Amino acid sequence: MKLYKYLLLTLLTITVSCSDDYFDVNGSETQPTTSSLPPQYRIQGAIENTTAQAQYRGSREVLGVTQYGSQNVANYYSETWSNEFTTGRYFLWQNAYVYSLPNTADLIVLGKRDNAPNFVAVGKILRAYILGMTTDQYGDIVLDDTYDGVSSMNITPKFATQEQVYQAIFDYIDEAIAELDESSPIALNEEGGDVLYAGDQAKWKKFAYAIKARYLNHLSKKSSYDAQAIITACQLAISSNAENAQKTYGGGPSSNDIQPFAVGGYGSSRFDYFSNFFVELLKNPLNLAVPIEDPRLTIIVPEAVNGGYHGVVTGRGLDGNPSDDYSLGNGGFYTSPNSTTDMINFSEVKFIEAEAKLRSNDPSGAYSAFKEGVQADLDKLGVDSAAKTAYLNLLDTEVGTTNISLSHIMVQKYIANVLNPETWVDMRRMDYSSDIYPGLQRPDNVNLDIFPNDDDWIQAMVYEYNEEDRNYENMPNNDPYVRLTTPVWWNTAD
């Protein structure tokens, strides 16, 4: 509470000359404040705005794209890629640029001012994370012309190409890793603000390497793809569940202490039910002729009131059926009030390594990393010993070194990354293939005006209408027929 007291005493609004509705978002105790505070009083706000503002928004609207969750009504806009998706009313943009990135800019400036390179490093790591998530959903974004912690916010910024943004991400990460090795007069957790790693700089460094591995891996269709660089980054990255980059919630009573998708969280209404695709995938994750259920099903997905585990078909809604026939989205491992929001975890690192090794013609190394990633997720979810052993033995029998495939890796990564917007990156990289994700189909009632063909899938988000109204001369083509259907830079071959 000491941190919040300082933040509340110094809270102010960023001053820019644009319409008030641009800032019409939920209030936050951790939005940007004056630069008079030492950096140790700003780190909590930077972390929490990254997860609760940017990442929450980045995952909320793509639940129907990644098909983790479904609404109780048919033709919901984020499931059928219509209405708000075509008019720029999707607010990751403002949550990133108004709330989250300014906190990281201030943390960098304050860290430099107080000769505390560890705070500079954390600011750069979080900044890389937010920029990466934003560019992955939009493509070209604002980079250098955004708020820098010193100048006023530029309301007509120029856009950078996604290739330029990716280079900036790698630069931020490399600089941060070096800065974390420097001495600092102020500990990251001096005022209890490091709610991610409690001041453990070694873990922050591993988090940085994990982000680097993730973004290098996104380049699988580019000639610059470097499998060995990815493997090297993975070996220096998060190496146990104890090092997972995750924001833990206390379960209430205040809404900002409740996992956003849980009952009482500010995003609970966006996740009515688990989707049919996700539930059925967990019932046969290895795509066997005789299905064998994943032991995580009953941990992640609540049982329906009328019994069993049943998801709602994305885009269809309940279709007149009783709601008690379906598994609610709230109340499982990831959607309870005290659940975590995972930024990147050990399982994902191992699946990234497995993919890189498979692409390097190292099936033995790929399977070893793959199995370790699965085991890490089983451990994280608390699967009992007997069920865990049986499942890992099944992997040896049904997958193993001789059968390991990209589908095996991506399905297990999909299961381990529930609610993480990173899944949308993977699904696009895999061309939404049902060979990779068995059973994957487009949502019911999909917007046929923009996506008329069976193999047409959403590729990027429309820029927000506020940006278009104010900055149309600088932004790329925002016609939804172009924006929603044009692959981003990393999703095109050289």
Side-chain angles (χ1 to χ4, degrees):
M1 293 306 296
K2 184 175 181 181
L3 174 63
Y4 282 135
K5 189 182 299 180
Y6 276 96
L7 290 172
L8 287 168
L9 286 172
T10 57
L11 190 64
L12 65 95
T13 303
I14 299 176
T15 302
V16 296
S17 55
C18 63
S19 60
D20 291 341
D21 64 350
Y22 189 84
F23 300 96
D24 184 19
V25 295
N26 293 332
S28 170
E29 291 178 301
T30 53
Q31 70 186 71
T33 65
T34 65
S35 60
S36 61
L37 287 173
Q40 61 267 34
Y41 296 107
R42 294 298 304 280
I43 185 172
Q44 183 172 349
I47 294 169
E48 291 185 343
N49 268 293
T50 300
T51 54
Q53 293 281 359
Q55 182 165 331
Y56 160 65
R57 281 288 189 171
S59 58
R60 189 184 88 169
E61 303 294 1
V62 299
L63 286 173
V65 180
T66 57
Q67 297 198 24
Y68 286 124
S70 296
Q71 288 280 323
N72 62 359
V73 295
N75 199 23
Y76 193 73
Y77 75 91
S78 62
E79 298 180 359
T80 58
W81 319 332
S82 57
N83 301 326
E84 280 91 337
F85 262 31
T86 67
T87 57
R89 294 180 181 272
Y90 164 50
F91 294 109
L92 169 61
W93 189 266
Q94 70 174 350
N95 280 30
Y97 284 104
V98 177
Y99 289 100
S100 304
L101 284 168
N103 274 277
T104 66
D106 286 347
L107 197 60
I108 292 169
V109 169
L110 294 173
K112 290 179 178 178
R113 184 197 67 185
D114 290 4
N115 296 314
N118 50 353
F119 285 93
V120 176
V122 168
K124 290 179 178 179
I125 292 168
L126 295 175
R127 193 167 186 82
Y129 187 88
I130 299 164
L131 287 170
M133 184 164 45
T134 306
T135 188
D136 287 340
Q137 296 208 7
Y138 292 102
D140 296 353
I141 63 171
V142 176
L143 180 61
D144 294 332
D145 279 357
T146 188
Y147 174 77
D148 60 6
V150 179
S151 310
S152 298
M153 185 177 285
N154 181 358
I155 64 171
T156 56
K158 292 182 171 60
F159 280 63
T161 66
Q162 186 170 71
E163 185 174 8
Q164 291 171 325
V165 176
Y166 263 58
Q167 185 57 57
I169 290 168
F170 295 132
D171 289 344
Y172 277 133
I173 291 298
D174 288 344
E175 291 166 7
I177 289 169
E179 285 159 344
L180 284 168
D181 284 334
E182 298 177 22
S183 60
S184 175
I186 312 170
L188 288 176
N189 205 38
E190 186 159 312
E191 292 295 331
D194 185 359
V195 293
L196 201 63
Y197 284 130
D200 191 328
Q201 294 188 190
K203 289 181 180 178
W204 275 103
K205 205 169 171 183
K206 289 190 172 188
F207 177 29
Y209 276 114
I211 296 172
K212 185 174 185 176
R214 174 189 277 182
Y215 280 87
L216 287 170
N217 196 49
H218 288 180
L219 306 181
S220 55
K221 292 183 179 178
K222 312 303 287 186
S223 59
S224 59
Y225 178 79
D226 187 341
Q228 188 53 55
I230 296 168
I231 294 166
T232 298
C234 286
Q235 291 169 346
L236 295 168
I238 294 167
S239 57
S240 73
N241 283 327
E243 298 169 349
N244 289 345
Q246 58 187 28
K247 171 66 174 71
T248 302
Y249 292 87
S254 62
S255 61
N256 68 351
D257 196 31
I258 297 173
Q259 211 286 334
F261 292 104
V263 172
Y266 44 79
S268 59
S269 63
R270 299 293 179 152
F271 196 173
D272 289 342
Y273 300 93
F274 277 94
S275 79
N276 179 71
F277 170 71
F278 182 54
V279 173
E280 295 307 308
L281 187 72
L282 285 167
K283 291 179 179 178
N284 188 17
L286 298 181
N287 199 28
L288 303 176
V290 178
I292 296 179
E293 186 175 284
D294 194 293
R296 291 165 288 187
L297 171 63
T298 59
I299 299 173
I300 299 173
V301 180
E303 185 175 9
V305 172
N306 290 339
Y309 298 85
H310 307 286
V312 171
V313 175
T314 303
R316 182 184 300 177
L318 296 178
D319 199 28
N321 297 316
S323 61
D324 287 349
D325 285 353
Y326 298 101
S327 296
L328 289 171
N330 311 126
F333 182 86
Y334 293 99
T335 54
S336 293
N338 61 348
S339 296
T340 63
T341 292
D342 282 20
M343 300 169 77
I344 189 166
N345 54 42
F346 180 39
S347 294
E348 182 183 339
V349 170
K350 297 311 292 185
F351 294 132
I352 292 171
E353 181 181 342
E355 180 182 342
K357 287 185 173 179
L358 189 66
R359 293 182 185 277
S360 301
N361 297 315
D362 179 11
S364 177
Y367 179 68
S368 178
F370 163 80
K371 186 176 178 181
E372 197 171 352
V374 175
Q375 181 169 347
D377 197 51
L378 298 174
D379 289 341
K380 184 181 74 174
L381 270 66
V383 174
D384 71 73
S385 180
K388 179 170 63 177
T389 299
Y391 195 72
L392 294 174
N393 288 341
L394 181 67
L395 296 183
D396 288 338
T397 302
E398 299 295 339
V399 183
T401 298
T402 56
N403 293 326
I404 182 71
S405 70
L406 199 54
S407 176
H408 292 123
I409 296 168
M410 300 314 296
V411 165
Q412 291 296 326
K413 188 179 180 186
Y414 177 88
I415 295 170
N417 267 359
V418 176
L419 296 181
N420 197 312
E422 176 64 12
T423 294
W424 190 27
V425 174
D426 285 338
M427 296 182 95
R428 285 176 288 171
R429 285 197 305 118
M430 300 299 122
D431 301 317
Y432 293 99
S433 170
S434 59
D435 291 332
I436 299 294
Y437 300 101
L440 180 64
Q441 297 180 11
R442 293 201 311 172
D444 276 19
N445 297 307
V446 73
N447 182 353
L448 295 177
D449 187 39
I450 296 179
F451 305 95
N453 303 307
D454 289 342
D455 59 351
D456 291 339
W457 290 78
I458 187 169
Q459 298 294 337
M461 289 297 176
V462 171
Y463 296 109
E464 288 179 18
Y465 67 91
N466 293 290
E467 192 70 30
E468 186 170 28
D469 288 347
R470 186 186 60 255
N471 194 28
Y472 64 90
E473 291 185 351
N474 287 321
M475 69 185 305
N477 188 335
N478 207 32
D479 182 337
Y481 289 83
V482 175
R483 294 289 307 138
L484 296 174
T485 62
T486 303
V488 296
W489 165 75
W490 49 251
N491 207 28
T492 59
D494 289 338

